[in-house]
């Protein structure tokens, strides 16, 4: 028999996509060593998952029942983790109804600020995930990860560019965080052996040379755009340098060590998966694995874009997601829309269950995280953003208590940014104001 100092706390049974972990033993610490008072605790993680085109309001929601949360039909896949889930009703961003447009003005979920009506010089506001990443990102090889399944498309509507529909995270008020939609490249960002960093550095050198030669030929406005672009390039340079330093650091220098030390997910094939459902699941798996191995602590994951054309033929329905959302109360189309909603909640729940199966000391990975699921619309058919479908899973490192339903629909101060303030505080960002909010939501513990 192995003694406690040799005992591996995490051993997995792998089959049918399910990971089962051994229970937490009080005599064995997070890393297989004897429990020592003052052992570093696991860090907190933040994940924001998004799907476009709203929900069927007739079957989305929950209630507080005698046995805890009671879900309406769409949220029933969350039953296995219902004690780790909070469902919110009524939260919104008031600026989304300040101008024209059904979709694009709503894509300020993580900033709360008004989306600029423009087809050129886009502006949404610095998002809460990036503020958090700026605070804690130096502690991991990748400061934050923005992933998704669909790239941007270029068109205009009501004076807005469709670029807005493709981005959730913004690294500056006018610059979306680069989003990776290729699973293999997202995987390589997190688990590179060093060769990718070397290639990236050589490419960055060429980019900087080209930018320097171009500057004298640009107008003042284009020069400003170039400066914004180079800021993103410098961010990437810093990410590469940070990854190199952390990759060569001694294990003891970082204090807390993750319980999962090698990827259980095989490196994905190149390109976009042929099956859309496989693409969605892969990106969720990459998010979970990134948290398990502490490669990053901040992830935004766009399961679909807003105005998404993702086809749910694998569910036996016809039409893209945006088309289904405009069902006009036709029974058949509404049923198809409902299936797409249920699918999104189902795959999200599966990711949560994997996190719950990952033990980190006295808590699980899910207990140490805050994972949000939301959309930019409530009733997709009506383009309604006066409230948003919003679920928050996880324990925030012991600072959140799940298994509850919150109805803020009659609260005059029901701003979504109040929830963001509460989450930012739990991630180590102390601020009295964010977006349009001046005080955080109370009573989350």
């Amino acid at each position: 028999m192995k003694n406690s100092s040799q005992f591996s706390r995490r051993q997995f049974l792998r089959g049918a996509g399910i990971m089962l972990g051994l229970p937490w033993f009080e005599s064995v610490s997070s890393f297989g060593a004897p429990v020592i008072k003052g052992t570093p605790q696991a860090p907190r993680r933040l994940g924001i998952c998004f799907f476009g085109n709203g929900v069927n309001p007739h079957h989305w929601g929950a209630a507080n029942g005698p046995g805890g949360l009671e879900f309406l039909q769409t949220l029933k896949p969350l039953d296995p983790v219902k004690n780790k889930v909070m469902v919110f009703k009524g939260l919104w961003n008031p600026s989304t109804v300040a101008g024209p447009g059904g979709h694009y003005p709503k894509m300020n979920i993580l900033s709360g600020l008004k989306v600029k009506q423009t087809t050129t010089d886009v502006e949404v506001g610095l998002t809460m995930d990036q503020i958090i990443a700026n605070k804690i990102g130096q502690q991991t090889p990748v400061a934050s990860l923005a992933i998704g399944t669909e790239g941007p498309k270029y068109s205009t509507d009501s004076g807005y560019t469709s670029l807005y529909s493709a981005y959730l995270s913004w690294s500056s008020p006018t610059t979306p965080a680069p989003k990776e939609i290729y699973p293999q490249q997202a995987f390589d960002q997190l688990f590179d052996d060093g060769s990718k960093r070397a290639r990236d550095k050589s490419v960055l050198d060429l980019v900087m040379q080209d930018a320097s030669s171009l500057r004298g030929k640009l107008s003042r406005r284009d020069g400003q755009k170039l400066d914004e672009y180079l800021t993103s390039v410098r961010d990437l340079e810093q990410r590469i340098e940070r990854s190199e330093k952390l990759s060569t650091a001694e294990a003891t220098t970082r204090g807390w060590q993750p319980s999962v030390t090698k990827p259980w997910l095989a490196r994905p094939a190149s390109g976009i998966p042929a099956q859309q459902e496989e693409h969605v699941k892969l990106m969720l798996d990459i998010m979970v694995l990134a948290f398990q191995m502490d490669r990053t602590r901040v992830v935004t994951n766009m399961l679909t874009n807003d105005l998404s054309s993702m086809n749910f033929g694998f569910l036996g329905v016809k039409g893209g997601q945006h088309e289904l959302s405009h069902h006009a109360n036709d029974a058949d189309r509404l049923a198809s829309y409902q299936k797409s909603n249920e699918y999104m909640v189902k795959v999200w729940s599966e990711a949560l269950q994997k996190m719950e199966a990952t033990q980190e000391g006295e808590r699980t990975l899910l207990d140490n995280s805050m994972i949000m699921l939301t959309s930019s619309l409530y009733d997709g058919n009506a383009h309604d953003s006066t409230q948003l479908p919003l679920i928050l899973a996880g324990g925030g490192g012991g600072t959140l208590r799940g298994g509850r339903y919150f109805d803020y629909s009659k609260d005059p101060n029901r701003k979504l940014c109040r929830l963001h303030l509460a989450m930012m505080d739990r991630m180590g960002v102390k601020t009295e104001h964010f977006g349009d909010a001046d005080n955080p939501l109370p009573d989350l513990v």
Side-chain angles (χ1 to χ4, degrees), residues 25 28 34 79 133 147-148 174 209 250 259-260 275 282 328 342 357-358 407 414:
F25 300 108
V28 182
D79 272 331
I147 53 179
T174 57
Q209 291 173 13
E250 293 292 332
S259 55
V260 177
Q275 303 298 320
L282 262 178
E342 290 181 19
T358 304
D407 186 353
R414 56 188 183 92

Side-chain angles (χ1 to χ4, degrees), residues 140-195:
T140 53
V142 178
S144 67
L145 182 67
I147 53 179
T149 63
E150 298 174 298
K153 296 180 180 179
Y154 298 98
S155 62
T156 60
D157 181 64
S158 301
Y160 292 90
T161 171
S162 62
L163 185 74
Y164 286 128
S165 68
Y167 293 99
L168 186 64
S169 175
W170 289 68
S171 56
S172 82
T174 57
T175 309
K179 183 180 71 173
E180 184 55 70
I181 66 171
Y182 290 88
Q184 185 183 90
Q185 294 184 33
F187 185 92
D188 287 347
Q189 280 189 46
L190 296 163
F191 310 112
D192 179 34
D193 61 3
S195 58

